[in-house]
Amino acid sequence: MWRYGGALDDVLVISGEDVRVQELNIEAGWNWDNQVVALDLFVDILNFGGWPGQDLVVSAILQDPEGAVVHTADSRLVEQIDALDVRRNQQIHLCCELITPSLWSPENGALYRLLLTLETRSGHIYDAVSTEFGIRKPTAHAYEILNVHQKIWIEAVEGNPGTYQITNQFDYLSLAAFEPKWELFEDGVSVGHGVLAPLPIESHQTGQLHIPKVTRSHNRKKERVLKLSFHARQSSSWASQGQCVAQAQFNLATDWTDFINWEACQVLCA
């Protein structure tokens, strides 16, 4: 029984094998020229048996999405273990290459299947692990890089709708070099956009952006999202003119009585 917070519940404890697969990690690498994917399998094996764990074999069987066994000349999917330390993880590295692999996508859910076994050379199986995984061609989308590397942070000021805190994390640039823009979405559809006046916030300083408000009714059933972004006013060695260098999105509460005057936004800001 397990006692927690005054409640009682049954706990089922299953004893595992003394020698077992503790963890399995799969890493993939692309060869762009030859359309080859190199798979590296890192298998952590743990020995609780109190004996050296000799004569063990780790092997893997890889099947493509159609069920055919994948095998290439460069495959190394079997590893013999002559000694296994007691109560310590030991990592085994298996590898293979996939030629022109079937790629996973939301429209085509192609999955490879891996069966990993840990057994003695005489055939006694200690542990087996089965998993499925997909392979995607890596692409560095601009918005992914932007979210990681942007130097302008945009945050909503709590309790003060329409006010946003802007932090300049550039070492040498003033935010006067960038043009702030806004865009309003209703249920995911853009319904308005405009340009704000540049903000003279110096490097490593913080300022506020105020968006004027007026009282007017709106459809409470629609989700409204405000997008604020900063764009380069002139071309430079690291950003072309008009390029987006920072952005953030904010959900606008549907119960606001004060709503944003988007016409005033085009010419006013603090």
Side-chain angles (χ1 to χ4, degrees):
M1 305 293 285
W2 180 263
R3 186 184 299 273
Y4 179 76
L8 296 178
D9 197 5
D10 294 333
V11 176
L12 178 62
V13 179
I14 300 177
S15 177
E17 291 284 357
D18 289 340
V19 183
R20 60 179 179 265
V21 176
Q22 186 75 0
E23 189 172 359
L24 168 64
N25 291 313
I26 303 174
E27 296 182 4
W30 268 92
N31 183 323
W32 298 95
D33 296 330
N34 299 326
Q35 296 296 304
V36 174
V37 171
L39 288 182
D40 291 290
L41 314 179
F42 298 97
V43 186
D44 288 339
I45 300 175
L46 192 59
N47 176 19
F48 276 120
W51 52 281
Q54 296 179 354
D55 299 331
L56 293 177
V57 178
V58 180
S59 61
I61 298 175
L62 184 63
Q63 294 176 305
D64 64 18
E66 285 72 37
V69 175
V70 175
H71 176 78
T72 64
D74 297 324
S75 295
R76 189 172 63 81
L77 295 178
V78 177
E79 178 76 13
Q80 295 183 354
I81 306 173
D82 294 328
L84 191 62
D85 293 337
V86 178
R87 298 185 182 277
R88 288 184 59 187
N89 274 332
Q90 181 168 329
Q91 189 173 86
I92 305 300
H93 179 209
L94 306 178
C95 61
C96 68
E97 289 185 344
L98 303 180
I99 311 298
T100 59
S102 299
L103 300 183
W104 180 95
S105 69
E107 297 77 20
N108 178 31
L111 293 177
Y112 284 80
R113 185 173 184 269
L114 174 69
L115 175 61
L116 184 78
T117 58
L118 172 63
E119 58 188 314
T120 65
R121 296 180 189 179
S122 61
H124 174 72
I125 297 178
Y126 276 106
D127 202 0
V129 176
S130 177
T131 186
E132 292 182 327
F133 61 94
I135 299 175
R136 296 185 65 183
K137 187 174 182 179
T139 55
H141 292 290
Y143 69 88
E144 294 175 343
I145 298 176
L146 178 65
N147 287 337
V148 174
H149 296 288
Q150 67 182 28
K151 295 290 188 179
I152 305 173
W153 287 100
I154 312 166
E155 302 172 286
V157 177
E158 186 175 356
N160 193 357
T163 301
Y164 299 89
Q165 179 174 288
I166 312 298
T167 303
N168 179 4
Q169 295 188 340
F170 282 104
D171 292 326
Y172 305 104
L173 288 177
S174 167
L175 294 193
F178 305 99
E179 186 174 59
K181 295 183 179 181
W182 62 266
E183 188 169 8
L184 177 65
F185 296 87
E186 288 186 349
D187 288 343
V189 178
S190 177
V191 295
H193 58 86
V195 179
L196 302 171
L199 300 174
I201 301 175
E202 299 302 319
S203 61
H204 296 286
Q205 299 296 317
T206 299
Q208 288 189 340
L209 172 68
H210 302 283
I211 297 183
K213 301 187 293 289
V214 295
T215 301
R216 77 182 192 187
S217 60
H218 58 277
N219 189 339
R220 294 172 180 263
K221 295 182 180 181
K222 291 186 177 181
E223 180 188 49
R224 293 174 180 262
V225 175
L226 172 65
K227 175 183 173 182
L228 297 176
S229 58
F230 285 79
H231 302 256
R233 298 177 64 188
Q234 296 180 350
S235 295
S236 62
S237 59
W238 65 278
S240 58
Q241 184 178 8
Q243 180 176 329
C244 179
V245 299
Q247 66 181 16
Q249 292 183 336
F250 303 92
N251 288 321
L252 303 180
T254 57
D255 59 352
W256 282 5
T257 55
D258 290 333
F259 195 63
I260 297 173
N261 182 346
W262 300 108
E263 291 77 15
C265 277
Q266 299 186 48
V267 294
L268 297 176
C269 77

